[in-house]
Amino acid sequence: MIIKLDKNISTVQKEQILLTLHGHGFYLQENGQSSIIRITGKNNVLPKEKIENLPGVEVVIDSDRSYHLVTREYRPENTIIELDGVSIGGAEPQVIAGPCAVESEEQILRTARLVQSAGVKIMRGGAFKPRTSPYSFTGLEEKGLQLLSQARRETGLLIITEVLDTADVELVAEYSDILQIGSRNMQNYKLLKAAGRQQRPVMLKRGMSATLEEFLGSAEYIISQGNDKIILCERGIRTFVEYTRNTLDLNIVPVIKKISHLPIIVDPSHGTGRRDIIEPMSLAALAAGADGIMVEVHPDPPASWSDPDQALYPEQFLQLMEKINQFIEWRKNAAIKSNP
Ligand code: PEP
Ligand code: MN
């Protein structure tokens, strides 16, 4: 069972609840500072209804699943994340764009001006890069974060960047607006919990072979610590195909929308690994109901220090934005017609 405590619970009330549960033989698994208590065990003397009546308890959920707080059973309406006038999960899809990695002041500022001129509100760019080889470029680290901040100051763009390690959560949160947890870390539970204990929204990328259960279970780790500002991200899974880097699993978009109240965006850059098919897959993602897309763009893709084959050329990116805007207009009109 999961017990969700009232936001304004007093310390005395909380202590009383813990004592009562413990006294009735429940095994308590408390999540530190969080407002969630997970218990195992059942008895007739203190059934679910009685626990619900204890002062300071908001709700008791009788669930054996690995997730509950992320579901529509728990919260039927969509979670909309509002950030400085930009909303994620609302009526308008968001485009997140930027380079794979921050490489230099010139590169990040040129990209920032480009994406901003096309109407983008959120820029991506890795300062801590998870790379297959330790000899590859692994990011400018704090210097990269400072360059992202500079781009933010000069353009007003919001910044999303990856946090690789629990020890860097505070640092990355200081410089950015949204924390990204990458595929390779989707099941790094300590990192998920640390991200759940801070205030910034978190974009959680699907692990490269994660099931739906595992993906939502990981999101549950974040939300169980009190942070419900979570954006899910489908970024392709490993399959037997060899003509793309990954297989973009767009099936998951409408399925997640049914089960979960959290926004989901799609990353066709890592999902395909090929810039020539990013446009159709971006439009397909939006048609499937995604709350946005995240794409990689670089002023000079062949010179990109990471993921050069999937970075869009500036002209390609501007064309993509035009197509997306047409699509959004078309969708708005279609919604008006079907809802006169
Ligand atoms: C990224 O978006 O920078 C990234 C490394 O992607 P992923 O974690 O999906 O591989
Ligand atoms: Mn990349």
Side-chain angles (χ1 to χ4, degrees):
M1 270 188 280
I2 299 164
I3 302 174
K4 187 158 196 290
L5 304 175
D6 274 344
K7 265 203 182 104
N8 304 321
I9 190 170
S10 67
T11 320
V12 178
Q13 280 176 328
K14 190 167 177 182
E15 270 169 19
Q16 194 53 51
I17 292 170
L18 295 176
L19 268 175
T20 310
L21 293 169
H22 194 64
H24 282 83
F26 286 102
Y27 172 72
L28 308 185
Q29 193 193 332
E30 217 210 328
N31 280 323
Q33 298 302 307
S34 97
S35 56
I36 303 290
I37 302 173
R38 192 181 286 275
I39 55 173
T40 47
K42 266 192 179 153
N43 65 41
N44 296 331
V45 190
L46 199 63
K48 177 178 176 248
E49 298 68 39
K50 286 215 171 137
I51 301 175
E52 229 149 24
N53 285 335
L54 296 173
V57 170
E58 187 187 307
V59 67
V60 178
I61 301 146
D62 211 348
S63 171
D64 291 333
R65 268 194 315 211
S66 20
Y67 53 87
H68 188 83
L69 304 176
V70 298
T71 66
R72 288 205 184 268
E73 284 150 41
Y74 177 70
R75 184 187 292 166
E77 71 280 5
N78 290 339
T79 288
I80 301 177
I81 298 165
E82 306 277 0
L83 264 180
D84 289 352
V86 178
S87 49
I88 304 159
E92 294 264 312
Q94 288 297 333
V95 175
I96 301 172
C100 181
V102 183
E103 297 167 5
S104 67
E105 181 177 334
E106 199 214 333
Q107 174 246 16
I108 199 66
L109 290 180
R110 274 177 70 187
T111 313
R113 289 183 198 118
L114 169 79
V115 301
Q116 193 222 21
S117 73
V120 165
K121 304 284 191 319
I122 310 169
M123 181 169 75
R124 62 152 289 140
F128 293 92
K129 295 298 302 172
R131 302 303 300 280
T132 304
S133 165
Y135 310 122
S136 302
F137 172 58
T138 52
L140 297 181
E141 304 190 347
E142 190 163 0
K143 173 74 188 155
L145 296 175
Q146 286 163 352
L147 292 176
L148 286 168
S149 277
Q150 188 184 338
R152 184 185 201 278
R153 275 196 306 278
E154 292 193 16
T155 58
L157 287 163
L158 297 172
I159 299 297
I160 175 168
T161 195
E162 178 160 353
V163 56
L164 267 186
D165 194 307
T166 312
D168 298 325
V169 168
E170 258 181 53
L171 178 77
V172 177
E174 210 177 287
Y175 284 101
S176 63
D177 300 286
I178 306 173
L179 303 185
Q180 176 174 324
I181 295 186
S183 281
R184 291 155 192 81
N185 264 324
M186 191 205 82
Q187 286 179 307
N188 180 340
Y189 299 120
K190 272 198 162 178
L191 180 61
L192 298 174
K193 282 181 164 179
R197 285 195 292 267
Q198 57 78 56
Q199 303 298 313
R200 301 264 188 228
V202 180
M203 187 176 83
L204 177 66
K205 299 192 84 175
R206 182 182 182 184
M208 50 191 85
S209 56
T211 62
L212 177 74
E213 175 96 8
E214 289 163 345
F215 192 16
L216 289 178
S218 290
E220 188 82 12
Y221 265 88
I222 302 172
I223 204 169
S224 70
Q225 300 300 304
N227 188 352
D228 64 352
K229 291 175 285 196
I230 303 167
I231 306 152
L232 301 171
C233 178
E234 161 59 32
R235 47 77 72 201
I237 48 171
R238 280 269 167 90
T239 67
F240 55 85
V241 305
E242 71 321 318
Y243 62 93
T244 50
R245 178 175 176 180
N246 289 297
T247 295
L248 194 61
D249 179 21
L250 292 183
N251 295 347
I252 205 167
V253 174
V255 172
I256 290 268
K257 284 276 157 204
K258 279 192 179 187
I259 303 176
S260 177
H261 52 81
L262 296 174
I264 176 162
I265 69 149
V266 170
D267 170 357
S269 299
H270 293 88
T272 64
R274 293 173 47 160
R275 72 178 133 261
D276 62 327
I277 58 170
I278 285 172
E279 183 180 298
M281 297 318 288
S282 298
L283 296 171
L286 296 178
D291 295 292
I293 56 157
M294 178 161 87
V295 292
E296 291 186 345
V297 52
H298 193 283
D300 182 9
S304 177
W305 295 359
S306 54
D307 291 347
D309 299 337
Q310 67 194 39
L312 293 170
Y313 283 92
E315 318 76 73
Q316 262 182 324
F317 171 70
L318 293 174
Q319 188 189 309
L320 170 69
M321 287 303 290
E322 235 174 75
K323 289 271 170 77
I324 287 175
N325 289 333
Q326 283 167 8
F327 176 84
I328 294 172
E329 270 312 299
W330 171 84
R331 197 165 76 170
K332 255 191 224 158
N333 292 333
I336 293 167
K337 277 190 197 134
S338 64
N339 259 329

